[in-house]
Amino acid sequence: MSNPRSDRPADHVDAPVAPAAPVNPRLSPVGWLRFLWRLLTSMRTALVLLLLLALAAVPGSLVPQRSSDPNGVIQYQRDNPDLFTVLDGLGVFSTFSSPWFSAVYLLLFLSLVGCVIPRTKHHVDALRARPPRTPQRLERLVGFTTRTAAGEPERIVDRGRAVLRGLGYRVERYDRGGELSISAERGYLRETGNLVFHVALLGVLLAVGVGGGFIYTGQRVLVQDTAFTNTLASYDSINPGRFFDESKLEPYSLRLDDFTGSYEFDAASRTWKPVDFTASLSTREPGGDWTPAELKVNHPLQIGGTAVYLLGNGYAPEITVRNPAGEAVFSGPVVFRPQDANLFSLGVIKVPDGLDRQLGMIGLFYPDPIAAGNGALASFSPEANDPILTLEVYAGDLGLDTGVPVNVYQLDTDGLEQLVGRSDALKLGLGDTVDLPDGLGTIEFSGLRRYVALDIHHDPTQGWVLLAAVTALGGLLLSLFIPRRRLWIKVRPGADGVTLEYAGLARGEDPALERVVAELADRHAREFEPVGPAPAGSEPAESAPEGSVGPERRIEP
Amino acid sequence: MTADDLASISLVLVYSALAVYVLAFIAAVLGLSARSRTAEQADDLALAERPAQAVLNPAASAAASGASSGSAGRGTAVLERLAAPQPTAVARFDRMSTALVAIAFALHVAALVTRGLAAGRVPWGNMYEFALTGTGIIVGVYLAAQFWRDLRFLAAYATGIVAILLGLATVNFYVAVAPLPPALQSAWLVIHVFVATLGTGFFALGGGLSIAQLLQTRHEAGGLPRARFLAALPSSETLELLASRVIIVGFAFWTFTLMAGAIWANAAWGRYWGWDTKEVWTFIIWVVYAGYIHARATRGWRGTRSAWLALVGFSAVLFNFTVVNLLFKGLHSYSGL
Ligand code: HEM
């Protein structure tokens, strides 16, 4: 107990300065290990590793990251091919999974484990221990002050114990010679909070690291009046974690019934600003009925162990292509991808079967068309208002039969014959039908639907990470704002009354300690004040008039 | 009154607040120079009355003030003993600057309220509004801190930094009120951004105290002979203690910001952490200040080194708010310039 901070790494400011260890030039292997371990778990190493961690994160913000901005990485490669090769060799495009970043945080957490285990052991012991023996001399301690009192020493010391207890201190009576004393300690929660904080950080790392393997995220574009069922094959794309198990997918269904986007015109920038996106869905859990549900940005839909996010939206014109005999050879909504804030969109229609030749068309869609000069069109707003679809038409082998997956949103025009170019593009309003070139048939813009782009996530770690993070915050608040201190009251009977001594000891920084000792002394001694010429032996009642000792001061616990 | 009227009133209030901040800054600088003069006179007096002690034992007064742990600085300790002739000038300028800061703050708050009413939401939805709110909170924290300790020697720092940031933001980033994009429509905008700016306010104050600490350390070692006002400031040890208390509060807020941001990101983007540029910098700031707290507990790192870390931390905060918002591409870049 003589060393209040033996629980801390040796280079903690409050740790005793160890006598310089005899320099042993030839450490045994075990000695080396012990030396390295002590080095790793020292305060200075933790500090240096923390600073290194901050430094190592910087490149991750300077160049685009594969994880968050893959297109940015490709762009970077295009713009600076030479620099890219060098930087990519260093791994800065995946900073946060790079070996050097991982090394820093793994070492840091190793250091943390090594630091926390001995401290926890020590703290558990401290929790069970009694407050330490009252020092022989209080004079040199913080806030030392003395009072005189009238009354019976035993009663005075008992009252002191009660006052300290009331303030939340753990108390212990120690008597030595004729001196009676109370030793009190409080603020164990400070160290508890600190340990909880550090352990909870480990918890965050573990939850993210281990739990991450169970995460999957999938993407799916869902067109109005169509449904999606949560099976592997229904996703447009999916990123499964290491422990992903297809059989765990719960086959619920979602159907998009309606979508509304509302916008406000911003006169200053002459643009439409989105105000709200709402997708009206119907959902069905296995064995259940369709039930309506609403999906908005910022408000994911929880269903079947997944969270469904609304990430994007657009228009899907319904197209019907007929052969010269009038039979429909292609019919359905085609997803067009927005190119600007007014939902001017680009889409590709591929008709592989049923016509004399395979046809590919590149379509431009203007929900709210206006002339943009040079005969070109633009969209004035994102709202559909006499929309127009224009089409370039290509014929030839679309390459759909080679077995190689083809991007449905792109048309590779190499090797195709252009039948209709941009300048004389087919132009259709909603409900219009026009002839395809070369007597191939007709095409109709038969309807218009909305679609939404959904992100579907399954993340069982969330709850754990949140729990660990909230625990860390709780521990942090305890450790930052609860003072840990010791207080002593000594009662020394003398010839002419009783002398009371008060003093404290801070563990860690405690600027309020002096005031706390003074307030304790005031509050305790006041009850036993020898009140001037009052008849001896008449102790003031506990409810002595406040005015006699000035305004009551709040005692800081 | 239309939203546009309210927005114009708000802008007028901002410019008025700016003007008063500049006046407060001038008063604060005069306050510092009054401190210098008082310190000089005190030295002269000390030399005249007790030459041997003052010259031979400069450490004594430092020790005395260190022992009286608290706001009593070494300058004031000297002054009390010598019944210095002119502390009134300091007091006068301090009162003046505080009154001006309070007036400017009232205008500033009024500007925020009218801006919020004009937009029909909390006034922190784009870069200009972040700056407006952030600087307001820096001043709020500065004023509130006066109830805790007398930190008026930081008036020049606080008003200077606020006037510059607010002026730059108003001139360069002013935008008309506009609705929030759907991704920002969330209760988390209110909480997350507000607590982040609150943390920033505390970090700003901590940065000022750390600068004062660094200057004072040099001064105590006999350096900076011309910065005489330092003699009227608390000891470097006291300044360090104050800085660490303030920064710890900021750190608690920042920790909450980090977590609230993750929760919000999870709702908006479907993942709680994605190393987006802004997330990276929030993390860096958090780790640097964790480093600061550790440094204060590591032998050999207390004092000057940890003060430098506090400044690195606050520089990162400023960098995050300015350069990252303006130049870096990321999901947060809808801050509406
Ligand atoms: C993951 C990295 C770490 C972070 C983010 C971190 C953060 C913090 C924070 C915020 C505090 C102040 C709050 C409190 O007292 O609970 C603190 C205190 C402390 N940390 Fe860490 N820490 C980390 C790793 C470590 C390691 C590896 C060690 C051991 C070498 C360590 C030892 C300590 C000690 C002894 C204190 C108490 C300081 C005092 O006495 O004031 N920490 N840490």
Side-chain angles (χ1 to χ4, degrees):
Chain A
M1 272 302 145
S2 60
N3 157 25
R5 283 289 174 121
S6 59
D7 51 333
R8 293 300 159 90
D11 60 342
H12 189 282
V13 280
D14 290 343
V17 182
V23 182
N24 185 350
R26 291 166 70 225
L27 282 174
S28 66
V30 177
W32 265 110
L33 281 179
R34 191 171 297 148
F35 169 75
L36 283 178
W37 182 247
R38 207 166 286 155
L39 185 69
L40 184 66
T41 57
S42 72
M43 286 301 283
R44 183 163 326 143
T45 305
L47 174 58
V48 168
L49 286 172
L50 272 171
L51 298 182
L52 271 180
L53 187 68
L55 203 61
V58 173
S61 73
L62 298 180
V63 301
Q65 296 296 297
R66 287 211 168 81
S67 54
S68 56
D69 183 14
N71 294 330
V73 178
I74 294 167
Q75 188 64 39
Y76 196 99
Q77 182 171 21
R78 215 171 283 147
D79 296 346
N80 317 289
D82 295 336
L83 189 57
F84 178 87
T85 319
V86 177
L87 293 181
D88 198 33
L90 296 172
V92 292
F93 295 99
S94 319
T95 295
F96 302 101
S97 49
S98 68
W100 35 274
F101 189 81
S102 312
V104 173
Y105 78 78
L106 288 176
L107 276 176
L108 182 59
F109 277 92
L110 192 61
S111 166
L112 184 53
V113 173
C115 175
V116 157
I117 290 176
R119 280 177 56 194
T120 308
K121 235 170 61 202
H122 193 276
H123 185 54
V124 169
D125 291 344
L127 280 178
R128 288 211 222 95
R130 311 190 311 167
R133 189 168 285 286
T134 309
Q136 219 151 355
R137 294 160 54 86
L138 294 182
E139 290 89 323
R140 275 180 298 174
L141 298 170
V142 180
F144 174 72
T145 177
T146 62
R147 303 287 147 101
T148 51
E152 200 220 323
E154 193 63 34
R155 205 175 105 65
I156 295 178
V157 83
D158 269 355
R159 189 62 202 138
R161 177 207 287 266
V163 167
L164 284 165
R165 245 220 198 109
L167 292 173
Y169 284 77
R170 183 179 299 187
V171 292
E172 190 70 35
R173 168 89 177 260
Y174 290 104
D175 296 344
R176 181 185 308 156
E179 295 176 351
L180 319 177
S181 76
I182 299 293
S183 168
E185 177 154 18
R186 61 152 291 156
Y188 297 86
L189 266 181
R190 183 188 185 89
E191 179 72 0
T192 310
N194 180 301
L195 291 169
V196 165
F197 168 78
H198 285 90
V199 172
L201 287 186
L202 276 175
V204 172
L205 186 76
L206 275 183
V208 171
V210 177
F214 293 95
I215 295 177
Y216 67 80
T217 62
Q219 289 74 36
R220 167 66 197 239
V221 164
L222 188 59
V223 176
Q224 198 172 355
D225 299 327
T226 65
F228 152 84
T229 299
N230 186 30
T231 58
L232 191 55
S234 320
Y235 282 97
D236 297 333
S237 59
I238 190 161
N239 325 316
R242 216 169 321 137
F243 310 124
F244 174 73
D245 178 359
E246 188 185 342
S247 66
K248 292 273 160 57
L249 291 183
E250 191 185 321
Y252 63 82
S253 302
L254 300 176
R255 191 179 64 214
L256 178 65
D257 297 327
D258 199 6
F259 177 85
T260 45
S262 38
Y263 303 85
E264 246 176 51
F265 188 67
D266 179 35
S269 60
R270 309 195 49 75
T271 54
W272 292 84
K273 300 242 158 121
V275 176
D276 180 58
F277 295 130
T278 303
S280 305
L281 302 175
S282 292
T283 65
R284 186 175 63 184
E285 308 230 29
D289 282 330
W290 286 103
T291 45
E294 210 169 66
L295 179 62
K296 285 173 179 285
V297 178
N298 257 331
H299 299 282
L301 177 73
Q302 305 291 337
I303 182 170
T306 66
V308 182
Y309 295 86
L310 177 58
L311 281 207
N313 69 84
Y315 286 100
E318 280 172 40
I319 306 292
T320 307
V321 178
R322 295 185 177 83
N323 64 16
E327 294 161 26
V329 296
F330 176 97
S331 177
V334 180
V335 168
F336 272 52
R337 306 225 286 184
Q339 307 296 304
D340 68 14
N342 290 340
L343 295 186
F344 155 59
S345 309
L346 183 71
V348 165
I349 303 163
K350 293 176 183 173
V351 188
D353 304 309
L355 299 181
D356 286 351
R357 307 178 67 178
Q358 292 195 339
L359 280 194
M361 291 175 260
I362 298 178
L364 302 179
F365 177 73
Y366 306 88
D368 190 2
I370 49 167
N374 296 338
L377 288 173
S379 185
F380 172 68
S381 81
E383 250 53 86
N385 188 11
D386 283 335
I388 284 182
L389 178 65
T390 67
L391 295 165
E392 291 170 51
V393 185
Y394 295 84
D397 183 1
L398 297 179
L400 297 180
D401 312 321
T402 56
V404 181
V406 177
N407 187 335
V408 294
Y409 298 111
Q410 270 167 10
L411 182 67
D412 182 3
T413 54
D414 289 351
L416 297 184
E417 181 193 348
Q418 189 180 55
L419 303 183
V420 176
R422 171 146 314 182
S423 54
D424 54 344
L426 307 181
K427 190 166 165 185
L428 295 91
L430 187 55
D432 289 353
T433 303
V434 298
D435 285 336
L436 290 168
D438 297 351
L440 284 167
T442 61
I443 180 164
E444 180 185 1
F445 176 12
S446 47
L448 184 61
R449 299 192 208 176
R450 299 299 308 253
Y451 73 85
V452 293
L454 300 179
D455 241 39
I456 299 176
H457 296 200
H458 170 69
D459 185 351
T461 68
Q462 277 177 18
W464 294 104
V465 174
L466 184 65
L467 181 72
V470 170
T471 310
L473 185 63
L476 180 71
L477 293 179
L478 288 180
S479 74
L480 291 183
F481 299 114
I482 288 195
R484 181 161 191 191
R485 50 173 79 119
R486 291 178 180 160
L487 293 179
W488 289 281
I489 303 180
K490 227 183 232 185
V491 178
R492 199 169 23 203
D496 44 347
V498 179
T499 308
L500 301 178
E501 292 182 0
Y502 303 86
L505 178 69
R507 308 190 58 185
E509 270 160 12
D510 192 352
L513 184 57
E514 267 183 69
R515 200 180 69 229
V516 168
V517 176
E519 283 169 356
L520 170 70
D522 285 349
R523 170 148 163 191
H524 177 236
R526 187 174 63 223
E527 298 180 12
F528 306 100
E529 236 164 357
V531 190
S538 82
E539 283 168 13
E542 295 211 342
S543 57
E546 228 71 296
S548 60
V549 286
E552 167 109 47
R553 278 205 275 167
R554 199 170 55 79
I555 296 214
E556 174 141 327
Chain B
M1 222 184 296
T2 69
D4 282 348
D5 292 342
L6 280 168
S8 329
I9 293 176
S10 172
L11 192 58
V12 172
L13 287 166
V14 168
Y15 277 114
S16 318
L18 255 175
V20 185
Y21 280 132
V22 172
L23 293 179
F25 175 75
I26 294 170
V29 171
L30 291 176
L32 286 183
S33 86
R35 281 180 170 80
S36 286
R37 258 179 290 123
T38 320
E40 245 162 73
Q41 282 159 351
D43 277 3
D44 293 348
L45 250 165
L47 276 173
E49 289 182 8
R50 292 193 287 175
Q53 244 176 331
V55 175
L56 296 179
N57 203 2
S61 67
S65 71
S68 70
S69 88
S71 54
R74 103 184 187 174
T76 38
V78 172
L79 291 180
E80 273 158 18
R81 258 184 285 132
L82 298 175
Q86 248 220 335
T88 49
V90 175
R92 183 147 24 91
F93 284 121
D94 275 359
R95 266 204 308 276
M96 201 191 296
S97 77
T98 307
L100 287 169
V101 173
I103 294 170
F105 184 61
L107 292 167
H108 200 151
V109 170
L112 277 166
V113 170
T114 42
R115 177 82 186 183
L117 288 174
R121 54 169 168 77
V122 290
W124 47 87
N126 54 51
M127 184 79 182
Y128 164 68
E129 293 176 354
F130 292 149
L132 189 60
T133 307
T135 48
I137 285 185
I138 292 179
V139 180
V141 170
Y142 165 78
L143 284 175
Q146 307 304 325
F147 292 101
W148 172 62
R149 295 290 153 82
D150 181 0
L151 301 181
R152 286 179 296 180
F153 56 86
L154 287 180
Y157 166 82
T159 51
I161 210 171
V162 163
I164 290 174
L165 287 177
L166 186 58
L168 284 178
T170 311
V171 170
N172 294 313
F173 306 140
Y174 184 80
V175 288
V177 285
L180 286 180
L184 281 184
Q185 291 169 18
S186 160
W188 287 110
L189 172 73
V190 181
I191 302 168
H192 165 76
V193 179
F194 183 75
V195 177
T197 23
L198 208 54
T200 303
F202 279 87
F203 287 151
L205 201 60
L209 286 164
S210 297
I211 292 174
Q213 175 198 338
L214 285 171
L215 295 176
Q216 189 68 292
T217 307
R218 299 268 305 268
H219 185 69
E220 283 164 359
L224 301 175
R226 298 183 51 194
R228 308 205 55 128
F229 65 91
L230 288 170
L233 263 50
S235 69
S236 64
E237 214 173 306
T238 306
L239 287 168
E240 177 171 3
L241 201 66
L242 294 174
S244 75
R245 298 308 294 172
V246 168
I247 287 173
I248 278 173
V249 176
F251 182 79
F253 283 131
W254 200 258
T255 307
F256 180 82
T257 302
L258 196 80
M259 289 167 47
I263 294 172
W264 185 13
N266 198 34
W269 301 320
R271 84 287 182 293
Y272 48 81
W273 197 261
W275 296 112
D276 175 66
T277 311
K278 199 83 187 177
E279 290 169 348
V280 173
W281 277 95
T282 306
F283 173 79
I284 291 174
I285 291 164
W286 188 75
V287 173
V288 169
Y289 278 110
Y292 170 82
I293 292 174
H294 272 228
R296 295 253 315 121
T298 304
R299 190 172 293 142
W301 278 76
R302 260 203 187 168
T304 301
R305 283 188 184 181
S306 65
W308 278 111
L309 275 184
L311 292 187
V312 170
F314 187 53
S315 313
V317 170
L318 286 178
F319 183 80
N320 185 32
F321 179 67
T322 54
V323 180
V324 174
N325 276 2
L326 297 178
L327 297 184
F328 288 23
K329 182 169 169 284
L331 287 170
H332 286 74
S333 48
Y334 44 50
S335 52
L337 275 175

